[in-house]
Amino acid sequence: MKGREIASIAVMAALLTFASGCIVSESPPSGRGRYEAYYYPDEEVYFYPNVRLYYWLDRGNWNHGPQPPQRYILEERARVKLDLDYEPHTQHSKIRNSYPPGNRDRDRDQDKDRDKDRDRDRGRDR
């Protein structure tokens, strides 16, 4: 009888050990946030692809829907991909400071100027 009890206890211990290794943590995998979103700095609009919703500010309140209002012109080249542990629109001032409106156009213009200078230095103009 003692042999069976010891065997049962060993099996239970093994099952508990196995089960404890299967608990899923709520924290996201390292290097990846729980919330994936695209931010359009020039329009200050967020798009959450997993739920296919856009978020935008209107008179100080956040609105959301499957499409943003028509007044917003969202260009794929002007968006920033975000992977965060919080919903980005809830920390909008932080995101806005990191990605201020208008920088994309300035960056693009600087790249064009740099390309022109490089081409001129190489003896050819575009």
Side-chain angles (χ1 to χ4, degrees):
M1 191 68 130
K2 274 193 171 190
R4 279 191 162 172
E5 287 177 21
I6 291 174
S8 295
I9 291 172
V11 169
M12 298 273 285
L15 288 173
L16 284 173
T17 302
F18 175 75
S20 68
C22 292
I23 295 173
V24 178
S25 170
E26 286 189 28
S27 62
S30 72
R32 192 123 194 260
R34 258 188 286 191
Y35 296 96
E36 179 182 336
Y38 291 100
Y39 176 56
Y40 298 85
D42 293 340
E43 303 294 343
E44 298 187 61
V45 171
Y46 297 89
F47 175 64
Y48 294 85
N50 294 340
V51 292
R52 297 181 182 208
L53 286 175
Y54 289 86
Y55 280 74
W56 62 91
L57 267 177
D58 189 18
R59 298 181 194 145
N61 294 314
W62 285 103
N63 291 318
H64 64 278
Q67 293 293 321
Q70 290 183 348
R71 68 179 176 265
Y72 295 114
I73 300 170
L74 305 179
E75 298 179 11
E76 190 172 321
R77 64 182 170 78
R79 71 185 186 182
V80 178
K81 185 175 181 181
L82 305 171
D83 282 313
L84 302 168
D85 293 334
Y86 55 87
E87 292 180 271
H89 75 277
T90 63
Q91 300 285 326
H92 180 61
S93 60
K94 182 177 178 179
I95 301 297
R96 190 174 193 277
N97 287 337
S98 296
Y99 306 99
N103 274 0
R104 288 284 185 185
D105 290 334
R106 272 198 305 268
D107 292 344
R108 208 171 20 259
D109 291 343
Q110 287 173 350
D111 289 344
K112 285 180 185 176
D113 291 342
R114 190 173 40 249
D115 290 345
K116 282 182 182 178
D117 291 342
R118 184 194 64 223
D119 290 342
R120 187 183 64 240
D121 292 342
R122 291 181 180 170
R124 55 188 161 137
D125 272 328
R126 284 190 177 189

